[in-house]
């Protein structure tokens, strides 16, 4: 057999994604390039690795076995490269972080200095909702997570990073034309929510419940950016973290509406399982965060209320 390392990488990504199109996007290759390498790999085996039924690609049982072996080869390849880097005096290894959606406005600033100082580190940041982040922590799929509300059922080490404040907001154009009194906005106006599992949605629903308010109309959006654009466009009102809308507020696109009991104040925390055995890279990152977080906050988040 004469299959290549590159072919194994492509095959594993196709299996992971369940699609040649998605695999090509993840690998930054064209679909024909992925298809050609997948075909060349298949030519090395007398048994099909994949099959197409009704335009959908399926991995055969034999293909799953080969994919599992290929994953082991890829891991060993990474370990060899890491050992070379370590022997040359460079910090090397993998670092993975799961980040709640709004955290994408926060986490890169705490990562850039560390990652740039250690170019041999392979880094992955998965941006998703709180439900998925907690699942990744529970299943030990990531080294760290960034959350604004700590999951109480997990035994975690928590490193506080930054205050997180959520305000009632509306698009300035809609707000200028609205005749609804500010204290009646949550009852009489359409409200825009994130999807189930989002910490922002949980905070918003919890506040409305505590105020014993009856919501007139709900609209659901599945990303923080979509929610922000919907508020700007005047689709309705929402309770949102300032960290994600600061620029829109400064540009006059979004107005903060004073409301009793708001803002809701939480805190961004970098967390990891207390029982987790941290890798040398993860330990170095924890040290970096403790040493540099105050400087990072002063440089990038001085506008956040202390």
């Amino acid at each position: 057999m004469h299959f290549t390392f590159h072919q194994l990488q492509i095959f594993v990504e196709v299996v992971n994604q369940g699609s040649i199109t998605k695999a090509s996007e993840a690998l930054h290759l064209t679909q024909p390039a992925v298809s050609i390498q997948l075909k060349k790999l298949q030519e090395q085996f007398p048994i099909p690795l994949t099959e197409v039924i009704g335009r959908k690609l399926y991995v055969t049982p034999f293909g799953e076995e080969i994919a599992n072996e290929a994953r082991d080869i890829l891991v060993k390849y990474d370990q060899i490269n890491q050992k070379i880097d370590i022997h040359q005096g460079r910090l090397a290894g993998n670092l993975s972080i799961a980040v709640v959606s709004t955290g994408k406005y926060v986490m890169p600033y705490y990562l850039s200095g560390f990652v740039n100082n250690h170019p041999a580190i392979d880094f992955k940041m998965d941006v998703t909702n709180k439900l998925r982040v907690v699942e990744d922590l529970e299943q030990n799929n990531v080294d760290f997570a960034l959350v604004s509300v700590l999951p109480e059922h997990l035994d975690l080490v928590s490193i506080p990073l930054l205050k997180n404040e959520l305000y009632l907001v509306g698009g300035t154009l809609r707000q200028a034309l609205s005749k609804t009194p500010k204290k009646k906005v949550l009852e009489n106006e359409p409200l825009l929510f994130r999807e189930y599992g989002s910490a922002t949605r949980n905070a918003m629903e919890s506040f409305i419940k505590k105020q014993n308010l009856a919501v007139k109309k709900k609209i659901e959006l599945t990303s923080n950016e979509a929610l922000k654009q919907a508020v700007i466009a005047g689709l309705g009102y929402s309770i949102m973290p300032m960290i994600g809308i600061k620029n829109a507020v400064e540009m006059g696109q979004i107005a903060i509406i004073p409301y009793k009991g708001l803002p809701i104040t939480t805190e961004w925390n970098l967390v990891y399982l207390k029982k987790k055995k941290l890798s040398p890279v993860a330990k170095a990152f924890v040290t970096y965060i403790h040493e540099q977080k105050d400087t990072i906050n002063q440089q990038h988040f001085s506008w956040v209320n202390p």
Side-chain angles (χ1 to χ4, degrees):
M1 288 192 178
H2 301 286
F3 53 77
T4 66
F5 180 79
H6 184 52
Q7 288 167 357
L8 293 182
Q9 285 182 310
I10 289 176
F11 178 57
V12 167
E13 194 63 40
V14 169
V15 173
N16 291 343
Q17 299 288 346
S19 161
I20 290 176
T21 300
K22 291 181 180 179
S24 65
E25 292 173 354
L27 295 167
H28 305 290
L29 298 172
T30 65
Q31 290 185 41
V34 171
S35 296
I36 288 171
Q37 294 304 316
L38 192 61
K39 181 179 179 182
K40 288 184 177 180
L41 179 65
Q42 177 62 77
E43 290 173 352
Q44 307 297 314
F45 298 95
I47 304 172
L49 301 172
T50 62
E51 55 186 355
V52 178
I53 302 175
R55 300 183 65 182
K56 181 173 175 59
L57 183 141
Y58 294 89
V59 182
T60 65
F62 177 72
E64 291 286 0
E65 292 182 23
I66 298 302
N68 288 334
E69 296 295 336
R71 290 188 184 99
D72 290 341
I73 293 172
L74 299 183
V75 168
K76 289 295 183 183
Y77 176 83
D78 287 339
Q79 289 174 345
I80 290 171
N81 283 329
Q82 290 168 17
K83 288 183 184 298
I84 293 172
D85 288 323
I86 290 170
H87 279 284
Q88 291 179 335
R90 295 193 293 261
L91 184 65
N94 298 311
L95 183 68
S96 58
I97 302 179
V99 177
V100 294
S101 297
T102 310
K104 66 177 176 284
Y105 302 108
V106 177
M107 199 66 232
Y109 294 98
Y110 294 93
L111 283 164
S112 60
F114 181 75
V115 173
N116 290 337
N117 288 338
H118 304 288
I121 291 174
D122 290 324
F123 167 68
K124 178 181 179 182
M125 184 172 80
D126 183 25
V127 180
T128 183
N129 63 36
K130 183 189 175 187
L131 187 62
R132 176 66 181 274
V133 168
V134 173
E135 287 177 355
D136 282 340
L137 272 175
E138 285 180 311
Q139 297 170 13
N140 200 31
N141 293 331
V142 294
D143 296 311
F144 302 98
L146 181 71
V147 295
S148 58
V149 180
L150 297 174
E152 296 179 357
H153 66 290
L154 294 180
D155 192 14
L156 300 171
V157 176
S158 176
I159 306 173
L161 298 181
L162 187 71
K163 183 183 291 187
N164 182 42
E165 294 182 323
L166 293 84
Y167 292 85
L168 175 62
V169 296
T172 51
L173 294 178
R174 182 180 183 115
Q175 183 63 11
L177 299 173
S178 176
K179 297 180 180 180
T180 302
K182 292 180 179 179
K183 65 181 181 179
K184 292 290 185 180
V185 166
L186 291 174
E187 295 176 272
N188 297 343
E189 295 287 346
L191 298 186
L192 310 178
F193 289 80
R194 284 286 307 278
E195 78 283 5
Y196 283 105
S198 161
T200 299
R201 181 184 183 123
N202 291 343
M204 185 172 173
E205 288 184 329
S206 178
F207 179 77
I208 290 171
K209 184 177 180 180
K210 287 180 181 179
Q211 299 294 319
N212 197 29
L213 301 175
V215 177
K216 185 176 181 180
K217 183 177 181 180
K218 288 185 177 182
I219 300 173
E220 183 177 303
L221 297 103
T222 56
S223 78
N224 193 70
E225 190 62 29
L227 184 62
K228 181 175 76 174
Q229 295 302 324
V231 169
I232 293 172
L235 283 177
Y237 295 78
S238 189
I239 294 177
M240 300 186 68
M242 177 58 71
I243 196 77
I245 60 172
K246 177 177 177 286
N247 290 342
V249 172
E250 292 177 345
M251 292 173 63
Q253 297 172 313
I254 289 179
I256 295 175
I257 303 167
Y259 198 96
K260 185 178 180 181
L262 294 175
I264 300 168
T265 301
T266 60
E267 192 166 37
W268 292 109
N269 288 271
L270 184 71
V271 301
Y272 59 94
L273 292 174
K274 190 172 289 186
K275 64 182 179 181
K276 185 175 182 63
K277 185 176 181 181
L278 296 179
S279 67
V281 170
K283 288 180 181 178
F285 183 58
V286 169
T287 299
Y288 172 83
I289 289 296
H290 281 300
E291 293 176 348
Q292 298 296 323
K293 69 173 183 175
D294 289 341
T295 300
I296 294 168
N297 288 345
Q298 290 171 7
Q299 289 177 344
H300 302 288
F301 302 108
S302 59
W303 55 270
V304 176
N305 294 326

